[in-house]
Amino acid sequence: QETGAEVAKPRRVYLDIETDSRVPPAVARQGKARVLCWTLVDEEERVVAQGLLREDEDADEKRVLEEFWAAIDPYDQVVAWYGDGFDFPIMRLRSERLDAKRKDPRRWLWMDFLPVYERMNRNAADSGTEKESMRLQDVAMSRLNEGKNEFDASKTYEEWAAGGERRQRLVDYCAQDTRLLPKLNKK
């Protein structure tokens, strides 16, 4: 029987995080690297929330993680590039480790944009480079003619620890990575 009910468009937000670079990525994925900052961007490419570690202490990271969980509350879907391989497990594991106040993660649909993009675009790629590399920088340059900010991602902790302009460069780098995602989704 017809009820008139319709499926609503999901409220989607895009996520990127930066973690302590003193910990190798494989170890970070086990939840053993502090979250230095995160950014959420909406479908209109606006930064809607950011979190930034102030002190290299568990209590402050717990604050940053709790701010993240509060910030995603109005959304249904959280999207990240390589989210299943990095961002999502780190946010969950760090939150568990630090007992950060959060809702059940099953409340959200966590979407890793990289395999979705790869599946939908691999055969339509124009160039060999685009077919070979799924790095965000390469895909963004190929599809948007715009890329990530100039930044050495192997030095996130050093930039964070330096404070001031250098810490702000880290935050800006994270925000730019996140802004690329809705742009790619629209393209």
Side-chain angles (χ1 to χ4, degrees):
Q1 183 177 40
E2 186 85 23
T3 64
E6 295 181 17
V7 175
K9 181 179 177 184
R11 295 166 297 172
R12 179 178 301 139
V13 70
Y14 298 86
L15 165 70
D16 188 44
I17 69 172
E18 300 303 329
T19 60
D20 185 339
S21 57
R22 298 173 298 176
V23 178
V27 177
R29 285 190 288 273
Q30 298 169 18
K32 297 179 181 175
R34 196 176 296 288
V35 174
L36 302 176
C37 66
W38 55 264
T39 300
L40 296 177
V41 170
D42 66 14
E43 293 196 84
E44 285 75 43
E45 303 163 26
R46 297 177 300 216
V47 172
V48 294
Q50 289 183 302
L52 175 63
L53 191 71
R54 293 183 203 127
E55 303 292 329
D56 191 0
E57 298 173 356
D58 286 353
D60 196 47
E61 185 183 9
K62 180 179 178 180
R63 172 196 56 82
V64 168
L65 294 166
E66 288 175 346
E67 288 174 358
F68 164 75
W69 292 104
I72 66 168
D73 192 51
Y75 298 96
D76 304 308
Q77 186 179 67
V78 182
V79 180
W81 195 263
Y82 195 54
D84 290 341
F86 195 76
D87 306 69
F88 303 153
I90 288 172
M91 295 305 273
R92 286 187 200 121
L93 291 168
R94 293 303 294 175
S95 295
E96 288 169 13
R97 179 178 179 158
L98 298 172
D99 197 29
K101 182 180 172 190
R102 66 194 183 286
K103 291 186 178 178
D104 187 334
R106 293 175 295 184
R107 181 207 175 287
W108 293 274
L109 174 60
W110 303 90
M111 188 180 90
D112 186 340
F113 194 20
L114 184 141
V116 173
Y117 179 87
E118 185 175 30
R119 173 83 168 118
M120 303 307 291
N121 292 283
R122 174 88 51 191
N123 295 333
D126 296 327
S127 69
T129 302
E130 187 179 338
K131 288 181 181 183
E132 291 173 18
S133 176
M134 285 293 126
R135 289 177 49 233
L136 180 58
Q137 170 68 8
D138 296 336
V139 171
M141 288 304 294
S142 168
R143 302 298 261 161
L144 305 172
N145 205 26
E146 174 184 358
K148 299 162 68 105
N149 288 356
E150 239 352 273
F151 186 84
D152 184 352
S154 71
K155 305 267 189 257
T156 56
Y157 183 81
E158 292 85 344
E159 295 299 302
W160 175 86
E165 280 184 32
R166 289 176 62 189
R167 187 176 288 181
Q168 187 59 48
R169 280 180 22 101
L170 171 68
V171 171
D172 294 345
Y173 171 76
C174 185
Q176 175 62 10
D177 280 12
T178 317
R179 277 191 205 96
L180 292 172
L181 300 180
K183 290 179 182 185
L184 282 169
N185 193 36
K186 287 176 189 170
K187 187 77 172 173

Coordinates of all heavy atoms in Angstrom, one line a residue, residues 11-72:
R11 N 22.3 12.9 5.0 CA 23.0 14.1 5.4 C 24.5 13.7 5.5 O 24.9 12.9 6.4 CB 22.5 14.6 6.8 CG 21.1 15.1 6.7 CD 20.5 15.3 8.1 NE 20.4 14.0 8.7 CZ 20.1 13.8 10.0 NH1 19.8 14.8 10.7 NH2 20.1 12.6 10.5
R12 N 25.3 14.1 4.5 CA 26.6 13.6 4.4 C 27.6 14.7 4.8 O 27.5 15.9 4.5 CB 26.8 13.3 2.9 CG 28.2 12.8 2.5 CD 28.3 12.5 1.0 NE 27.3 11.5 0.7 CZ 26.6 11.5 -0.4 NH1 26.7 12.4 -1.3 NH2 25.8 10.5 -0.6
V13 N 28.7 14.2 5.4 CA 29.8 15.1 5.8 C 31.1 14.4 5.4 O 31.2 13.1 5.5 CB 29.8 15.5 7.3 CG1 30.1 14.3 8.2 CG2 30.7 16.7 7.6
Y14 N 32.1 15.1 5.0 CA 33.4 14.6 4.6 C 34.4 14.8 5.7 O 34.4 15.9 6.4 CB 33.9 15.2 3.3 CG 32.9 15.0 2.2 CD1 31.8 15.8 2.0 CD2 33.1 13.9 1.3 CE1 30.9 15.5 0.9 CE2 32.3 13.6 0.3 CZ 31.1 14.5 0.1 OH 30.3 14.2 -0.9
L15 N 35.3 13.8 5.9 CA 36.3 13.9 7.0 C 37.7 13.6 6.5 O 37.9 12.8 5.7 CB 35.9 12.7 8.0 CG 37.0 12.3 9.1 CD1 37.1 13.5 10.1 CD2 36.6 11.0 9.7
D16 N 38.6 14.3 7.2 CA 40.0 14.0 7.1 C 40.6 14.2 8.5 O 40.2 15.1 9.2 CB 40.8 14.8 6.0 CG 42.2 14.3 5.8 OD1 42.4 13.1 5.7 OD2 43.1 15.1 5.8
I17 N 41.6 13.4 8.8 CA 42.4 13.5 10.1 C 43.9 13.6 9.8 O 44.3 13.1 8.8 CB 42.0 12.4 11.1 CG1 42.6 11.1 10.6 CG2 40.5 12.3 11.3 CD1 42.5 9.9 11.6
E18 N 44.6 14.1 10.7 CA 46.0 14.1 10.7 C 46.5 13.5 12.1 O 45.9 13.9 13.1 CB 46.7 15.4 10.5 CG 46.3 16.1 9.2 CD 46.6 15.3 7.9 OE1 47.6 14.5 7.9 OE2 45.8 15.4 6.9
T19 N 47.4 12.6 12.0 CA 47.9 11.9 13.3 C 49.4 12.2 13.5 O 50.1 12.7 12.6 CB 47.6 10.4 13.2 OG1 48.3 9.9 12.1 CG2 46.1 10.1 13.1
D20 N 49.8 11.8 14.6 CA 51.2 11.9 15.0 C 52.2 11.2 14.1 O 52.1 9.9 14.0 CB 51.4 11.4 16.5 CG 52.7 11.6 17.1 OD1 53.7 11.8 16.3 OD2 52.8 11.5 18.3
S21 N 53.0 11.9 13.4 CA 53.9 11.3 12.4 C 55.1 10.5 13.0 O 55.8 9.9 12.2 CB 54.4 12.4 11.4 OG 55.1 13.4 12.2
R22 N 55.2 10.6 14.3 CA 56.3 9.8 14.9 C 56.0 8.3 14.9 O 56.8 7.5 15.2 CB 56.6 10.3 16.3 CG 57.1 11.8 16.3 CD 57.2 12.3 17.8 NE 55.9 12.2 18.4 CZ 55.6 12.5 19.7 NH1 56.6 12.9 20.5 NH2 54.4 12.5 20.2
V23 N 54.7 8.0 14.6 CA 54.2 6.7 14.6 C 54.0 6.3 13.2 O 53.2 6.9 12.5 CB 52.9 6.6 15.4 CG1 52.3 5.2 15.4 CG2 53.1 7.0 16.9
P24 N 54.6 5.2 12.7 CA 54.3 4.7 11.3 C 52.9 4.5 11.0 O 52.1 4.0 12.0 CB 55.1 3.4 11.2 CG 56.1 3.4 12.4 CD 55.4 4.3 13.4
P25 N 52.4 4.7 9.8 CA 51.0 4.5 9.5 C 50.4 3.1 9.9 O 49.3 3.0 10.4 CB 50.9 4.7 8.0 CG 52.1 5.6 7.7 CD 53.1 5.2 8.7
A26 N 51.2 2.1 9.7 CA 50.7 0.7 10.0 C 50.4 0.6 11.5 O 49.4 0.0 12.0 CB 51.7 -0.4 9.6
V27 N 51.2 1.3 12.3 CA 51.0 1.3 13.8 C 49.9 2.2 14.2 O 49.1 2.0 15.0 CB 52.3 1.6 14.5 CG1 52.1 1.7 16.0 CG2 53.4 0.6 14.2
A28 N 49.8 3.4 13.5 CA 48.7 4.3 13.7 C 47.4 3.7 13.5 O 46.4 3.9 14.3 CB 48.9 5.5 12.8
R29 N 47.3 2.8 12.5 CA 46.0 2.2 12.2 C 45.6 1.2 13.3 O 44.4 0.8 13.3 CB 46.1 1.4 10.8 CG 46.0 2.3 9.6 CD 45.9 1.6 8.3 NE 47.1 0.8 7.9 CZ 48.1 1.4 7.2 NH1 48.0 2.6 6.9 NH2 49.1 0.6 6.9
Q30 N 46.5 0.9 14.2 CA 46.1 0.1 15.4 C 45.7 1.0 16.5 O 45.5 0.5 17.6 CB 47.3 -0.7 15.8 CG 47.8 -1.7 14.7 CD 49.2 -2.3 15.1 OE1 49.6 -2.3 16.2 NE2 49.9 -2.9 14.1
G31 N 45.5 2.2 16.3 CA 45.1 3.2 17.3 C 46.2 3.6 18.2 O 45.9 4.1 19.3
K32 N 47.4 3.6 17.7 CA 48.5 3.9 18.6 C 49.2 5.3 18.2 O 50.3 5.5 18.6 CB 49.6 2.8 18.5 CG 49.0 1.5 19.1 CD 50.0 0.4 19.1 CE 49.4 -0.9 19.6 NZ 50.2 -2.0 19.5
A33 N 48.5 6.1 17.5 CA 49.0 7.5 17.2 C 47.9 8.5 17.6 O 46.8 8.3 17.3 CB 49.3 7.6 15.7
R34 N 48.4 9.5 18.2 CA 47.5 10.6 18.7 C 46.9 11.3 17.5 O 47.6 11.6 16.5 CB 48.3 11.6 19.6 CG 47.4 12.5 20.4 CD 48.2 13.4 21.3 NE 48.9 12.7 22.4 CZ 48.4 12.2 23.5 NH1 47.1 12.0 23.6 NH2 49.2 11.7 24.4
V35 N 45.6 11.7 17.6 CA 45.0 12.5 16.6 C 45.3 13.9 16.8 O 45.1 14.5 17.9 CB 43.4 12.3 16.6 CG1 42.7 13.3 15.7 CG2 43.1 10.8 16.3
L36 N 46.0 14.6 15.9 CA 46.4 16.0 16.0 C 45.3 16.9 15.6 O 45.1 18.0 16.2 CB 47.7 16.2 15.2 CG 48.9 15.4 15.5 CD1 50.0 15.7 14.5 CD2 49.3 15.5 16.9
C37 N 44.6 16.6 14.5 CA 43.5 17.5 14.1 C 42.6 16.7 13.2 O 43.0 15.6 12.6 CB 44.0 18.7 13.4 SG 44.9 18.5 11.8
W38 N 41.4 17.2 13.0 CA 40.4 16.7 12.1 C 39.6 17.8 11.5 O 39.5 18.9 12.1 CB 39.5 15.6 12.7 CG 38.8 16.1 13.9 CD1 39.2 15.9 15.2 CD2 37.6 16.9 14.0 NE1 38.3 16.5 16.1 CE2 37.3 17.1 15.4 CE3 36.7 17.4 13.0 CZ2 36.2 17.8 15.8 CZ3 35.6 18.1 13.5 CH2 35.3 18.3 14.8
T39 N 39.0 17.6 10.3 CA 38.2 18.6 9.6 C 37.0 17.9 9.1 O 37.1 16.8 8.5 CB 38.9 19.3 8.5 OG1 40.1 19.9 9.0 CG2 38.1 20.3 7.8
L40 N 35.8 18.5 9.2 CA 34.6 18.1 8.5 C 34.2 19.2 7.5 O 34.2 20.4 7.8 CB 33.5 17.9 9.5 CG 33.6 16.8 10.6 CD1 32.4 16.8 11.6 CD2 33.8 15.4 9.9
V41 N 33.8 18.7 6.3 CA 33.4 19.6 5.3 C 32.0 19.1 4.7 O 31.8 17.9 4.6 CB 34.4 19.6 4.1 CG1 33.9 20.4 2.9 CG2 35.7 20.3 4.6
D42 N 31.1 20.0 4.5 CA 29.8 19.6 4.0 C 29.8 19.5 2.5 O 30.8 19.8 1.8 CB 28.7 20.5 4.5 CG 28.7 22.0 4.0 OD1 29.5 22.2 3.0 OD2 28.0 22.8 4.6
E43 N 28.6 19.2 1.9 CA 28.6 19.0 0.5 C 28.7 20.3 -0.3 O 29.0 20.3 -1.5 CB 27.3 18.3 0.1 CG 27.3 16.9 0.6 CD 26.2 16.0 0.0 OE1 26.5 15.5 -1.1 OE2 25.1 15.9 0.5
E44 N 28.6 21.4 0.4 CA 28.8 22.7 -0.3 C 30.3 23.2 -0.2 O 30.6 24.3 -0.4 CB 27.9 23.8 0.3 CG 26.4 23.7 -0.1 CD 25.7 22.5 0.5 OE1 25.9 22.3 1.7 OE2 25.0 21.8 -0.2
E45 N 31.1 22.3 0.3 CA 32.6 22.5 0.4 C 32.9 23.4 1.5 O 34.0 24.0 1.5 CB 33.2 22.9 -0.9 CG 32.9 21.9 -2.1 CD 33.1 22.5 -3.4 OE1 33.9 23.5 -3.6 OE2 32.4 22.0 -4.4
R46 N 32.1 23.6 2.5 CA 32.3 24.5 3.6 C 32.8 23.7 4.8 O 32.3 22.6 5.1 CB 31.0 25.2 4.1 CG 30.4 26.1 3.1 CD 29.1 26.7 3.6 NE 28.2 25.6 3.9 CZ 26.9 25.6 3.7 NH1 26.3 26.7 3.3 NH2 26.2 24.6 4.0
V47 N 33.9 24.2 5.5 CA 34.3 23.6 6.7 C 33.2 23.8 7.7 O 32.9 25.0 8.0 CB 35.7 24.2 7.2 CG1 36.0 23.7 8.5 CG2 36.8 23.9 6.2
V48 N 32.7 22.8 8.3 CA 31.6 22.9 9.3 C 32.1 22.6 10.7 O 31.4 23.1 11.6 CB 30.4 22.0 8.9 CG1 29.7 22.4 7.6 CG2 30.8 20.5 8.8
A49 N 33.2 22.0 10.8 CA 33.8 21.8 12.2 C 35.2 21.3 12.0 O 35.6 20.7 11.0 CB 33.0 20.7 12.9
Q50 N 36.0 21.7 13.0 CA 37.4 21.3 13.1 C 37.8 21.0 14.5 O 37.3 21.6 15.4 CB 38.4 22.3 12.5 CG 38.3 22.5 11.0 CD 39.3 23.5 10.5 OE1 39.3 24.7 11.0 NE2 40.1 23.1 9.6
G51 N 38.7 20.1 14.7 CA 39.3 19.8 16.0 C 40.8 19.9 16.0 O 41.4 19.5 15.0
L52 N 41.4 20.5 17.0 CA 42.8 20.6 17.0 C 43.3 20.3 18.4 O 42.8 20.9 19.4 CB 43.2 22.0 16.6 CG 44.7 22.4 16.7 CD1 45.5 21.5 15.8 CD2 44.9 23.9 16.4
L53 N 44.3 19.5 18.5 CA 44.9 19.2 19.8 C 45.7 20.4 20.3 O 46.4 21.0 19.5 CB 45.9 18.0 19.6 CG 46.5 17.4 20.8 CD1 45.4 16.6 21.6 CD2 47.7 16.4 20.4
R54 N 45.5 20.8 21.5 CA 46.2 21.9 22.1 C 47.5 21.5 22.9 O 48.5 22.1 22.9 CB 45.3 22.7 23.1 CG 44.2 23.4 22.4 CD 43.3 24.2 23.4 NE 42.0 24.4 22.9 CZ 40.9 24.1 23.5 NH1 40.9 23.6 24.8 NH2 39.7 24.3 23.0
E55 N 47.3 20.3 23.6 CA 48.4 19.8 24.4 C 48.6 18.3 24.1 O 47.7 17.6 23.8 CB 48.1 19.9 25.9 CG 47.7 21.3 26.4 CD 48.9 22.2 26.4 OE1 50.1 21.7 26.6 OE2 48.8 23.4 26.2
D56 N 49.9 17.9 24.1 CA 50.2 16.5 23.8 C 49.9 15.6 25.0 O 50.8 15.1 25.6 CB 51.7 16.4 23.4 CG 52.0 15.0 22.8 OD1 51.1 14.2 22.7 OD2 53.2 14.8 22.4
E57 N 48.6 15.6 25.4 CA 48.2 14.8 26.5 C 46.9 14.1 26.2 O 46.1 14.6 25.4 CB 47.9 15.8 27.7 CG 49.1 16.6 28.1 CD 48.8 17.7 29.2 OE1 47.5 17.9 29.5 OE2 49.7 18.3 29.6
D58 N 46.7 12.9 26.9 CA 45.5 12.1 26.7 C 44.2 12.9 26.9 O 43.3 12.8 26.2 CB 45.5 10.9 27.5 CG 46.5 9.8 27.1 OD1 47.0 10.0 26.0 OD2 46.7 8.8 27.8
A59 N 44.2 13.7 28.0 CA 43.0 14.5 28.3 C 42.6 15.4 27.2 O 41.4 15.6 26.9 CB 43.2 15.2 29.6
D60 N 43.6 16.1 26.6 CA 43.2 17.0 25.5 C 42.8 16.2 24.2 O 41.9 16.7 23.5 CB 44.4 17.9 25.2 CG 43.9 19.1 24.4 OD1 42.9 19.7 24.7 OD2 44.6 19.4 23.4
E61 N 43.5 15.1 24.0 CA 43.0 14.3 22.8 C 41.6 13.8 23.0 O 40.8 13.8 22.1 CB 44.0 13.2 22.5 CG 43.6 12.4 21.2 CD 44.5 11.2 20.9 OE1 45.3 10.8 21.8 OE2 44.3 10.7 19.8
K62 N 41.3 13.4 24.2 CA 39.9 13.0 24.5 C 38.9 14.1 24.2 O 37.9 13.9 23.6 CB 39.8 12.6 26.0 CG 38.5 12.1 26.4 CD 38.4 11.7 27.9 CE 37.1 11.2 28.3 NZ 37.0 10.8 29.7
R63 N 39.3 15.3 24.6 CA 38.4 16.5 24.2 C 38.3 16.6 22.7 O 37.1 16.8 22.2 CB 39.1 17.8 24.8 CG 38.3 19.1 24.3 CD 39.2 20.3 24.5 NE 40.5 20.3 23.9 CZ 40.7 20.6 22.6 NH1 39.7 20.9 21.8 NH2 41.9 20.6 22.1
V64 N 39.4 16.5 22.0 CA 39.3 16.6 20.5 C 38.4 15.5 19.9 O 37.6 15.8 19.0 CB 40.7 16.5 19.9 CG1 40.7 16.3 18.4 CG2 41.5 17.8 20.3
L65 N 38.5 14.3 20.4 CA 37.7 13.2 19.9 C 36.2 13.4 20.3 O 35.3 13.2 19.5 CB 38.2 11.9 20.5 CG 39.6 11.5 20.0 CD1 40.2 10.4 20.8 CD2 39.6 11.1 18.5
E66 N 36.0 13.8 21.5 CA 34.6 14.1 21.9 C 34.0 15.2 21.0 O 32.8 15.2 20.7 CB 34.5 14.4 23.4 CG 34.7 13.2 24.2 CD 34.8 13.4 25.7 OE1 34.9 14.6 26.2 OE2 34.7 12.4 26.5
E67 N 34.7 16.2 20.7 CA 34.3 17.3 19.8 C 33.9 16.7 18.4 O 32.9 17.1 17.8 CB 35.3 18.4 19.7 CG 35.5 19.2 20.9 CD 36.6 20.3 20.8 OE1 37.3 20.3 19.7 OE2 36.8 21.0 21.7
F68 N 34.7 15.7 18.0 CA 34.4 15.1 16.7 C 33.1 14.4 16.7 O 32.3 14.5 15.8 CB 35.6 14.1 16.3 CG 35.2 13.1 15.3 CD1 35.1 13.5 13.9 CD2 34.8 11.8 15.6 CE1 34.7 12.6 12.9 CE2 34.5 10.9 14.6 CZ 34.4 11.3 13.3
W69 N 32.9 13.5 17.7 CA 31.6 12.8 17.8 C 30.4 13.7 17.9 O 29.4 13.4 17.3 CB 31.7 11.8 19.0 CG 32.7 10.7 18.7 CD1 33.9 10.6 19.3 CD2 32.6 9.6 17.8 NE1 34.6 9.5 18.8 CE2 33.8 8.8 17.9 CE3 31.6 9.2 17.0 CZ2 34.0 7.7 17.1 CZ3 31.8 8.0 16.2 CH2 33.0 7.3 16.3
A70 N 30.6 14.8 18.6 CA 29.5 15.8 18.7 C 29.2 16.4 17.4 O 28.1 16.7 17.0 CB 29.8 16.8 19.8
A71 N 30.3 16.7 16.6 CA 30.2 17.4 15.4 C 29.5 16.5 14.3 O 28.9 17.1 13.4 CB 31.6 17.9 14.9
I72 N 29.7 15.2 14.3 CA 29.1 14.4 13.3 C 27.7 14.0 13.7 O 27.0 13.4 12.8 CB 30.0 13.1 13.0 CG1 30.0 12.2 14.1 CG2 31.3 13.5 12.4 CD1 30.6 10.8 13.8

